[in-house]
């Protein structure tokens, strides 16, 4: 090829520049916003190291870093040894055996992660293996080894077989021939396998999420749970990880000898840390243990540690991203003592006899709870559940954009073409159909096919007329930034947004809405009832309930706490209220399979455009 012309060279440089900007601009933005004073992930308010301090102080994140790093190191070492020996052995095998094993080796590489994850989860459940650090390590070795084999095998095939024979003829033992002759010639393939295995293990989320338990979480799981609510420590954590990777790459290029020495020291250090943690865990093993399963970002920092200190126990605290994933994990054999699901899921767990009745005498705080969120239809008399948080679903709007008179339209405001392209609908099947059903004057728990179909038509009409954007938890930061004027949100999220953006206001339409309550329940196989009751009592005591509600933003079931916060911390924030009035308001009921399938099919059609 001849030399490039000046014009071609300029175009080439421009293309490369755009490519680099496309790849690295999001990383730069993440690093910049890790120093943002505000809770918003996008709205800059000032420079601060606030989130780095919170990151260091957050024990769950530091534990997750330890789990991710140690799992990645040990999985890399084990899978590299297994993969390299397998590749060498395959080169000496018969063609039929070799081709069969190589084809089998390709299955986990080509398999979707979710299939591998569920398969491993079922395997561990079938052999009754307690899930935790060890099962996560086994899973990572299982999916990393095939990649090592794929990296090393081509290098093995390129070797001259006579080299090993020559080493043996010259007096080397088979082990010496392997270590001093064969492995050095395979080092490029082995290094590639090491890097690939470490990267795959360190980054993994899906498989880790399904095979872990007993409070063991890696960075990916913790970050995923953080995204349920705006948490700027994600930016701080990401920045640190990016810098560590960058420094490691620079050292590997500039000082390879130092890297080898450093890596040896790091590995030895990690081994000492692992031994130390194992000794500490063994010392902690004598304490009583409570297994708690809660939604992500749904408890104030340090709350679990305070209970551990007061009760002189160890709490294995895990988080889930949805009621459905919690239910799936329970059905797979995972064991917990206390769960914190939503109202309709509590009803389901009662029907399937997966939880046991509560003895309120053991808790002793029933008379302090808000009577408006007690004795709801999902659990009459609160026989099975102790309220944890309560709230509603309503409309958050920008007071500088939305005409106050338009609010009289209630849910039909979401179909007002004056605000076309300026509306977020919550990306939730039940919540979106609730909006449509209430707008039409129907019950949100209807099983009438005709009414459900009319709600479906309402959603289709809204979608086509309003250029709707369906948003998940990212609606929080988008509304803080004022990206749109109207959004369907949960009251606690609205309260949080309104404290960050004074232009926002919240209201519940007069046609009625969903009033919900999440509660603490005790599983059938609870191993320590006394400790479970102590935890429920702890979470409903004034001081701890106040701290928890102040941080999370949802309405506390403790009436005195709700009244105090609505007059102080959340004063003037209409989304935070101890009252849940409105004759047309309802609580979601458990859906039978037929109704659930109908809603699911119609929701798929609404989203399919």
């Amino acid at each position: 090829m001849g030399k490039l012309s000046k014009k071609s060279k300029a175009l080439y440089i421009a293309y490369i520049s755009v490519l680099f900007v496309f790849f690295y601009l999001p990383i730069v933005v993440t690093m910049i916003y890790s120093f943002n004073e505000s809770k918003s992930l996008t709205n800059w308010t000032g420079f601060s190291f606030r989130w780095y301090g919170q990151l260091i102080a957050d024990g769950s994140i530091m534990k997750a870093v330890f789990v991710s790093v140690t799992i990645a190191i040990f999985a890399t070492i084990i899978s590299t040894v297994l993969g390299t020996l397998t590749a060498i052995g395959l080169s000496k095998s018969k063609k039929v055996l070799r081709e069969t094993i190589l084809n089998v080796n390709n299955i986990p590489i080509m398999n979707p992660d979710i299939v591998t994850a569920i398969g491993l989860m079922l395997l561990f459940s079938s052999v009754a293996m307690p899930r935790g650090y060890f099962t996560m390590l086994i899973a990572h070795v299982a999916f990393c080894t095939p990649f090592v084999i794929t990296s090393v095998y081509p290098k093995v095939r390129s070797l001259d077989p006579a080299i090993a024979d020559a080493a043996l003829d010259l007096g080397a033992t088979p082990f010496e021939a392997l270590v001093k002759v064969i492995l050095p010639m395979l080092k490029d393939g082995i290094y590639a396998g090491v890097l690939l295995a470490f990267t795959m293990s360190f980054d993994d989320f899906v498989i880790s999420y399904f095979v872990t338990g007993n409070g063991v979480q890696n960075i990916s799981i913790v970050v995923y749970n953080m995204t349920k609510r705006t948490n700027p420590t994600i930016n701080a954590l990401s920045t640190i990880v990016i810098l560590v990777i960058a420094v490691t790459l620079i050292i590997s290029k500039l000082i390879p000898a130092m890297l080898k020495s450093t890596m040896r020291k790091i590995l030895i250090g990690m081994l000492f840390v692992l031994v130390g943690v194992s000794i500490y865990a063994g010392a902690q093993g004598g304490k009583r243990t409570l297994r708690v399963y809660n939604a992500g970002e749904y408890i104030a920092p340090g709350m679990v540690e305070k209970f551990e200190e007061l009760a002189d126990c160890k709490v294995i605290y895990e988080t889930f991203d949805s009621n459905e994933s919690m239910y799936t994990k329970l059905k797979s054999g995972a064991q917990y003592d206390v769960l914190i699901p939503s109202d309709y899921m509590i009803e389901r767990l009662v029907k399937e006899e997966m939880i046991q009745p509560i003895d309120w005498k053991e808790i002793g705080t029933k008379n302090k709870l808000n009577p408006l969120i007690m004795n709801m239809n999902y659990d009459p008399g609160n026989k099975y559940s102790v309220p944890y948080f309560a709230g509603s679903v309503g409309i958050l709007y920008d007071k500088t954009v939305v005409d106050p008179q338009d609010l009289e339209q209630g849910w039909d405001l979401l179909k007002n073409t004056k605000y076309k392209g300026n509306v977020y609908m919550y990306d939730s099947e039940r919540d979106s159909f609730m909006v449509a059903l209430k707008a039409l004057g129907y019950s949100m728990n209807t099983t009438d096919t005709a009414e459900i179909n009319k709600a479906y038509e309402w959603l289709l009409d809204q979608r086509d007329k309003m250029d709707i954007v369906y948003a998940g938890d990212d609606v929080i930061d988008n509304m803080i930034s004022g990206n749109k004027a109207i959004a369907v949100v949960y009251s606690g999220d609205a309260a949080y947004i309104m404290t960050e953006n004074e232009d926002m206001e919240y209201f519940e339409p007069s046609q009625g809405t969903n009033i919900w309550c999440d509660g603490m329940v005790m599983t059938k196989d609870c191993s320590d009832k006394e400790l479970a009751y102590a935890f429920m009592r702890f979470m409903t005591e004034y001081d701890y309930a106040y701290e928890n509600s102040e941080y999370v933003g949802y309405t506390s079931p403790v009436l005195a706490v709700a009244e105090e916060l609505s007059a102080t911390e959340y004063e003037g924030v209409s989304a935070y209220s101890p009252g849940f009035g409105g004759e047309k308001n309802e609580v979601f009921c458990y859906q039978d399979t037929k109704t659930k399938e109908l809603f699911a099919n119609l929701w798929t059609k609404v989203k399919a455009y």
Side-chain angles (χ1 to χ4, degrees), residues 27-321:
I27 295 176
V28 173
V29 170
T30 296
M31 296 177 73
I32 292 173
Y33 274 91
S34 70
F35 299 100
N36 187 14
E37 169 65 25
S38 171
K39 291 181 180 179
S40 172
L41 294 175
T42 56
N43 185 30
W44 181 269
T45 60
F47 185 89
S48 173
F49 287 102
R50 172 185 180 183
W51 306 114
Y52 287 90
Q54 189 163 314
L55 173 66
I56 294 171
D58 192 332
S60 64
I61 296 179
M62 302 314 293
K63 289 177 184 176
V65 171
F66 172 80
V67 169
S68 288
V69 173
T70 55
I71 288 283
I73 289 175
F74 293 125
T76 299
I77 293 172
I78 296 170
S79 61
T80 300
V81 172
L82 293 176
T84 302
L85 293 178
T86 302
I88 293 172
L90 287 175
S91 66
K92 303 295 183 180
S93 303
K94 293 183 179 180
K95 183 177 180 180
V96 175
L97 178 62
R98 181 171 64 247
E99 294 298 327
T100 300
I101 293 177
L102 287 174
N103 287 329
V104 171
N105 185 68
N106 288 332
I107 294 175
I109 295 176
M110 301 175 66
N111 236 5
D113 282 352
I114 187 66
V115 176
T116 303
I118 293 175
L120 288 168
M121 179 183 71
L122 293 175
L123 172 64
F124 296 139
S125 296
S126 64
V127 297
M129 181 181 291
R131 275 174 279 176
Y133 190 95
F134 189 59
T135 53
M136 188 186 290
L137 176 59
I138 293 174
H140 280 228
V141 171
F143 72 75
C144 287
T145 301
F147 289 94
V148 175
I149 293 173
T150 303
S151 299
V152 176
Y153 182 69
K155 295 295 295 182
V156 177
R157 293 285 291 171
S158 66
L159 290 180
D160 184 350
I163 294 177
D165 294 335
L168 294 173
D169 290 341
L170 291 171
T173 65
F175 181 76
E176 289 175 330
L178 174 66
V179 173
K180 296 183 178 180
V181 179
I182 298 175
L183 292 183
M185 299 183 72
L186 300 177
K187 65 180 181 180
D188 291 338
I190 294 173
Y191 288 161
V194 166
L195 292 174
L196 191 56
F198 186 88
T199 302
M200 294 288 294
S201 176
F202 192 78
D203 288 347
D204 179 70
F205 164 71
V206 176
I207 294 175
S208 299
Y209 187 80
F210 280 90
V211 302
T212 190
N214 290 318
V216 177
Q217 300 182 100
N218 60 10
I219 293 176
S220 299
I221 296 173
V222 169
V223 169
Y224 177 72
N225 288 325
M226 279 182 178
T227 60
K228 300 305 291 179
R229 295 292 298 273
T230 303
N231 192 329
T233 53
I234 295 174
N235 287 343
L237 177 61
S238 301
T239 300
I240 292 174
V241 171
I242 291 166
L243 290 176
V244 169
I245 292 173
V247 169
T248 301
L249 289 174
I250 291 172
I251 292 175
S252 67
K253 292 294 182 182
L254 299 181
I255 322 174
M258 180 185 294
L259 177 64
K260 291 180 181 178
S261 174
T262 302
M263 285 304 294
R264 281 197 297 269
K265 292 177 181 177
I266 290 174
L267 288 174
I268 293 171
M270 290 302 297
L271 286 173
F272 277 113
V273 171
L274 185 63
V275 171
V277 170
S278 299
I279 294 172
Y280 175 76
Q284 295 289 307
K287 290 187 175 182
R288 296 166 65 187
T289 301
L290 183 71
R291 301 162 298 177
V292 179
Y293 204 22
N294 193 6
E297 292 294 296
Y298 212 39
I299 194 169
M303 194 68 67
V304 171
E305 289 76 11
K306 288 179 181 178
F307 175 74
E308 286 179 322
E309 184 177 351
L310 285 171
D312 190 25
C313 70
K314 177 183 177 184
V315 176
I316 296 175
Y317 184 84
E318 293 186 46
T319 56
F320 55 83
D321 65 315

Side-chain angles (χ1 to χ4, degrees), residues 360-372:
W360 278 94
K361 293 179 182 178
E362 294 289 336
I363 300 174
T365 56
K366 192 173 186 178
N367 61 336
K368 300 178 182 178
L369 304 182
N370 189 344
L372 293 176

Side-chain angles (χ1 to χ4, degrees), residues 478-582:
N478 280 313
M479 292 304 286
I480 290 175
S481 302
N483 292 339
K484 293 194 184 296
I486 300 172
V488 176
V489 297
Y490 293 111
S491 58
D493 294 338
Y496 174 80
I497 294 167
M498 291 161 68
T499 58
E500 292 291 316
N501 186 338
E502 61 183 15
D503 292 333
M504 296 296 167
E505 188 56 84
Y506 175 86
F507 82 104
E508 296 171 8
S510 59
Q511 299 109 311
T513 186
N514 169 29
I515 297 297
W516 56 265
C517 183
D518 295 344
M520 297 177 282
V521 299
M522 191 185 302
T523 61
K524 272 285 187 184
D525 58 353
C526 177
S527 59
D528 194 328
K529 289 186 180 182
E530 183 181 349
L531 205 52
Y533 282 129
F535 181 80
M536 294 177 181
R537 184 168 56 251
F538 171 84
M539 296 306 300
T540 52
E541 290 180 3
Y542 180 89
D543 290 340
Y544 304 117
Y546 187 101
E547 182 180 349
N548 202 30
S549 189
E550 181 184 37
Y551 176 82
V552 178
Y554 282 105
T555 307
S556 173
V558 180
L559 186 57
V561 171
E563 291 175 340
E564 176 70 15
L565 281 173
S566 64
T568 53
E569 183 76 13
Y570 290 98
E571 183 178 4
V573 179
S574 61
Y576 195 98
S577 170
F580 294 90

Side-chain angles (χ1 to χ4, degrees), residues 280-546:
Y280 175 76
Q284 295 289 307
K287 290 187 175 182
R288 296 166 65 187
T289 301
L290 183 71
R291 301 162 298 177
V292 179
Y293 204 22
N294 193 6
E297 292 294 296
Y298 212 39
I299 194 169
M303 194 68 67
V304 171
E305 289 76 11
K306 288 179 181 178
F307 175 74
E308 286 179 322
E309 184 177 351
L310 285 171
D312 190 25
C313 70
K314 177 183 177 184
V315 176
I316 296 175
Y317 184 84
E318 293 186 46
T319 56
F320 55 83
D321 65 315
S322 69
N323 284 279
E324 286 66 33
S325 65
M326 176 213 68
Y327 177 81
T328 300
K329 204 161 187 180
L330 286 175
K331 281 293 190 180
S332 73
Q335 295 183 332
Y336 301 96
D337 300 310
V338 176
L339 310 173
I340 307 178
S342 298
D343 36 38
Y344 72 93
M345 184 55 69
I346 292 174
E347 185 178 2
R348 181 175 188 177
L349 296 174
V350 171
K351 288 179 182 295
E352 298 184 14
E353 299 183 347
M354 296 175 68
I355 56 179
Q356 58 181 291
I358 298 292
D359 183 354
W360 278 94
K361 293 179 182 178
E362 294 289 336
I363 300 174
T365 56
K366 192 173 186 178
N367 61 336
K368 300 178 182 178
L369 304 182
N370 189 344
L372 293 176
I373 57 174
M374 299 290 283
N375 197 34
M376 289 185 163
N377 59 4
Y378 69 89
D379 183 19
N382 286 90
K383 184 179 178 181
Y384 291 90
S385 64
V386 178
Y388 182 77
F389 275 131
S392 62
V393 177
I395 296 176
L396 185 76
Y397 64 96
D398 189 330
K399 295 180 289 187
T400 65
V401 177
V402 178
D403 187 339
Q405 293 184 348
D406 291 338
L407 301 181
E408 296 177 5
Q409 300 171 15
W411 291 116
D412 288 309
L413 173 67
L414 302 173
K415 292 179 69 175
N416 188 329
T417 54
K418 186 192 301 186
Y419 308 108
K420 180 179 179 179
N422 215 4
V423 177
Y424 285 120
M425 280 290 283
Y426 202 71
D427 191 3
S428 164
E429 171 191 316
R430 293 205 77 174
D431 289 319
S432 292
F433 268 95
M434 179 278 293
V435 168
L437 288 165
K438 284 297 183 183
L440 293 167
Y442 303 137
S443 168
M444 66 186 198
N445 290 310
T446 183
T447 56
D448 187 297
T449 304
E451 292 180 352
I452 295 171
N453 281 321
K454 286 182 181 179
Y456 164 65
E457 292 169 4
W458 190 96
L459 290 170
L460 284 180
D461 184 52
Q462 181 207 33
R463 182 196 72 183
D464 296 336
K465 284 170 50 177
M466 297 296 294
D467 192 18
I468 288 295
V469 174
Y470 297 98
D473 295 298
D474 56 319
V475 72
I476 299 173
D477 204 59
N478 280 313
M479 292 304 286
I480 290 175
S481 302
N483 292 339
K484 293 194 184 296
I486 300 172
V488 176
V489 297
Y490 293 111
S491 58
D493 294 338
Y496 174 80
I497 294 167
M498 291 161 68
T499 58
E500 292 291 316
N501 186 338
E502 61 183 15
D503 292 333
M504 296 296 167
E505 188 56 84
Y506 175 86
F507 82 104
E508 296 171 8
S510 59
Q511 299 109 311
T513 186
N514 169 29
I515 297 297
W516 56 265
C517 183
D518 295 344
M520 297 177 282
V521 299
M522 191 185 302
T523 61
K524 272 285 187 184
D525 58 353
C526 177
S527 59
D528 194 328
K529 289 186 180 182
E530 183 181 349
L531 205 52
Y533 282 129
F535 181 80
M536 294 177 181
R537 184 168 56 251
F538 171 84
M539 296 306 300
T540 52
E541 290 180 3
Y542 180 89
D543 290 340
Y544 304 117
Y546 187 101

